[in-house]
Amino acid sequence: MASKLLRQTLTKTNRTAAIRCFFTAASVASPSEYEYPTGITMKGVKISGRPLYLDMQATTPVDPRVLDSMLPFYLSRYGNPHSRTHLYGWESETAVETARAQVAALIGASPKEVVFTSGATESNNISIKGVMHFYKDKKRHIITTQTEHKCVLDSCRHLQQEGFEVTYLPVGSDGLIDLDTLGKEIRPDTGLVSVMAVNNEIGVVQPVEEIGKICKEFNVPFHTDAAQALGKIKVDVEKWNVSLMSLSGHKIYGPKGVGALYLRRRPRIRVEPQMNGGGQERGIRSGTVPTPLVVGMGAACELAMKEMEYDENRIKGLQERLLNGIREKIDGVLVNGSMDRRYVGNLNLSFAYVEGESLLMGLKEVAVSSGSACTSASLEPSYVLRALGVDEDMAHTSIRFGIGRFTTEEEIDRAVELTVKQVEKLREMSPLYEMVKEGIDIKQIQWAQH
């Protein structure tokens, strides 16, 4: 359906111009081949064409096959899935339940344990606030980490304002928690342990299976934010022993605005709903289920199940090409987070003697970020990198490269070329780098204060 609509569009417009709009500026070898007649200007920034996209942790493009599955539920099968008196409602309900089964299959769960939400942020809020509010008479303590997504940290701070106690576990320089420390922090009144499976900024994979075993030993519910893990690494709710898991559609080439919450049935975990309404999704998440979005998420999960291994091997090659390409040309490049326990599509690098904001602004032809999209408006260094013990000046220079299913070798090569060029340009203007090249240890310099 999507490809048919695209063909119809191309017959009505200039074919070359229409196809060009899907190109990324940096994926073409010669600048003259991708320059727009007048360029693109947005938010005061002018570039010759659309930048190449390497920000896959922020969001992924919708897979055309996912879009194909969604379109009928916008155009002809538009019934409310909760309408039980006619065909339109029945077919939408069937589609929703099929999608529920597709999501469940990818994580090794029962479809009855999957609740659809608006995204991982809502799922995290339901998990953390919902569990602690339900068991508030006996459980007043929650454990999480210093490097969680902002919505988890803010939910915990909200509970602190209500009188709950929160322990924020530190992480090592590799971004991983210490399992012995976790075991020591669990108390009789601990109501939940919440640890992200794959970190959104640095891509490290926490030892979730081992965390699950500790939580099972102490009979404490375990919640994990798996938005960055779903469809990228093998997820198994039984092996991980999770009680709750937050999932997102737009991180796995599905649509924005939809997510899911895994809620274990045996042993049963209970939550207090965060929203009141018509009692949809077993009363846990009231509101009309958006059929097209849910269908899209289900299709994305089914594709991920089939193609995860292929995607991982291909993306791993692209990540190595990117890292080796940069390190062969410039020094002072630091990989943030563990390289051994890492999702291959996330490469977070810091560049010594370079000012971070200047580097980002100089990379106008590459869509990358300096950290989480939810905190990118802040000029403060990443709290995740600070938790790793990264020096403030290096934390300020971090760039997160996100590689995905549709990233090409040409785009990686272009990203290497542009990144190296910009880093070298900024270092030429850096007096600190000049001093380092002359053999001066700048850490031993006593700077005068004025």
Side-chain angles (χ1 to χ4, degrees):
M1 178 75 76
S3 53
K4 182 179 178 183
L5 289 174
L6 177 58
R7 285 196 301 271
Q8 291 174 348
T9 302
L10 295 180
T11 58
K12 295 177 183 178
T13 60
N14 180 285
R15 187 176 294 267
T16 303
I19 293 176
R20 262 190 179 176
C21 73
F22 295 99
F23 285 178
T24 58
S27 65
V28 188
S30 168
S32 62
E33 292 178 16
Y34 62 73
E35 282 181 352
Y36 282 38
T38 57
I40 299 174
T41 302
M42 186 169 290
K43 293 188 178 291
V45 176
K46 185 172 183 178
I47 53 178
S48 58
R50 293 186 66 79
L52 70 88
Y53 189 77
L54 289 178
D55 201 14
M56 295 293 177
Q57 277 70 53
T59 194
T60 57
V62 173
D63 191 300
R65 295 166 292 181
V66 170
L67 181 59
D68 278 345
S69 71
M70 294 170 60
L71 284 175
F73 296 93
Y74 280 118
L75 301 174
S76 57
R77 303 178 188 176
Y78 42 76
N80 187 319
H82 313 296
S83 297
R84 304 293 170 83
T85 57
H86 51 69
L87 175 66
Y88 289 88
W90 300 335
E91 61 187 5
S92 288
E93 181 186 24
T94 300
V96 167
E97 294 311 312
T98 298
R100 199 186 305 277
Q102 290 169 321
V103 175
L106 186 56
I107 62 174
S110 163
K112 294 179 180 178
E113 296 175 308
V114 175
V115 173
F116 285 114
T117 66
S118 64
T121 291
E122 183 181 2
S123 298
N124 285 335
N125 273 264
I126 294 173
S127 298
I128 294 167
K129 297 176 188 173
V131 167
M132 298 308 294
H133 285 163
F134 191 89
Y135 298 102
K136 61 185 178 183
D137 291 338
K138 295 182 179 179
K139 305 294 183 180
R140 305 292 298 177
H141 177 236
I142 183 171
I143 298 174
T144 189
T145 77
Q146 296 175 0
T147 56
E148 293 298 302
H149 191 277
K150 194 172 186 297
C151 65
V152 169
L153 296 177
D154 281 359
S155 294
C156 289
R157 291 189 187 103
H158 180 85
L159 290 174
Q160 282 181 288
Q161 293 173 351
E162 295 180 350
F164 291 88
E165 291 183 63
V166 181
T167 296
Y168 298 94
L169 296 176
V171 296
S173 59
D174 56 2
L176 302 174
I177 67 165
D178 180 75
L179 296 173
D180 291 334
T181 302
L182 169 62
K184 292 174 183 176
E185 292 292 347
I186 294 177
R187 309 180 335 200
D189 66 338
T190 301
L192 188 69
V193 171
S194 180
V195 180
M196 179 187 284
V198 175
N199 188 273
N200 55 305
E201 287 197 32
I202 56 176
V204 297
V205 182
Q206 294 289 352
V208 282
E209 190 171 340
E210 291 81 356
I211 295 170
K213 289 178 182 177
I214 293 172
C215 291
K216 187 175 184 177
E217 178 186 344
F218 286 93
N219 196 29
V220 175
F222 172 33
H223 163 255
T224 185
D225 177 354
Q228 298 287 347
L230 184 70
K232 299 170 185 174
I233 65 171
K234 179 70 174 175
V235 175
D236 189 322
V237 295
E238 294 302 326
K239 275 189 177 181
W240 289 9
N241 191 49
V242 292
S243 302
L244 309 101
M245 179 187 290
S246 302
L247 309 170
S248 175
H250 74 104
K251 309 292 188 183
I252 54 165
Y253 311 95
K256 297 173 182 63
V258 65
L261 170 63
Y262 163 75
L263 205 61
R264 182 176 288 276
R265 287 171 62 107
R266 293 186 181 87
R268 189 180 184 188
I269 184 72
R270 304 289 297 274
V271 297
E272 180 183 276
Q274 299 300 294
M275 191 157 51
N276 300 314
Q280 292 90 344
E281 296 299 281
R282 305 202 313 274
I284 294 166
R285 204 283 183 182
S286 291
T288 302
V289 173
T291 308
L293 301 183
V294 164
V295 166
M297 183 172 182
C301 287
E302 187 172 84
L303 286 171
M305 179 173 281
K306 295 175 181 176
E307 302 181 3
M308 193 189 315
E309 184 177 352
Y310 172 82
D311 282 348
E312 181 180 9
N313 291 333
R314 184 175 168 277
I315 291 169
K316 183 179 180 182
L318 294 175
Q319 183 227 56
E320 292 172 351
R321 190 183 185 105
L322 176 64
L323 180 59
N324 293 337
I326 291 174
R327 279 184 160 170
E328 285 171 3
K329 295 180 174 70
I330 54 176
D331 57 5
V333 180
L334 171 70
V335 178
N336 294 307
S338 171
M339 280 299 290
D340 296 325
R341 294 189 58 92
R342 186 187 205 93
Y343 165 59
V344 293
N346 181 313
L347 189 60
N348 191 304
L349 303 178
S350 288
F351 300 87
Y353 319 113
V354 170
E355 207 278 319
E357 283 76 20
S358 298
L359 179 56
L360 269 181
M361 290 303 297
L363 290 175
K364 293 182 293 185
E365 292 181 36
V366 188
V368 290
S369 71
S370 59
S372 168
C374 302
T375 56
S376 62
S378 172
L379 292 178
E380 291 296 314
S382 161
Y383 67 87
V384 172
L385 297 185
R386 296 306 303 275
L388 267 64
V390 177
D391 291 340
E392 184 167 343
D393 55 345
M394 289 295 279
H396 265 299
T397 70
S398 70
I399 298 290
R400 183 185 66 185
F401 295 90
I403 306 167
R405 181 180 294 168
F406 302 114
T407 308
T408 65
E409 289 184 350
E410 292 78 13
E411 288 177 320
I412 294 297
D413 292 343
R414 182 69 170 153
V416 169
E417 177 188 342
L418 292 169
T419 302
V420 169
K421 180 180 177 182
Q422 188 62 24
V423 170
E424 289 178 338
K425 178 181 176 182
L426 292 172
R427 283 179 175 175
E428 285 176 5
M429 299 184 289
S430 170
L432 292 179
Y433 189 62
E434 284 296 320
M435 296 168 70
V436 170
K437 287 199 298 183
E438 293 172 5
I440 300 172
D441 186 354
I442 60 175
K443 291 186 177 180
Q444 300 300 320
I445 297 176
Q446 297 293 323
W447 301 99
Q449 294 185 355
H450 298 281

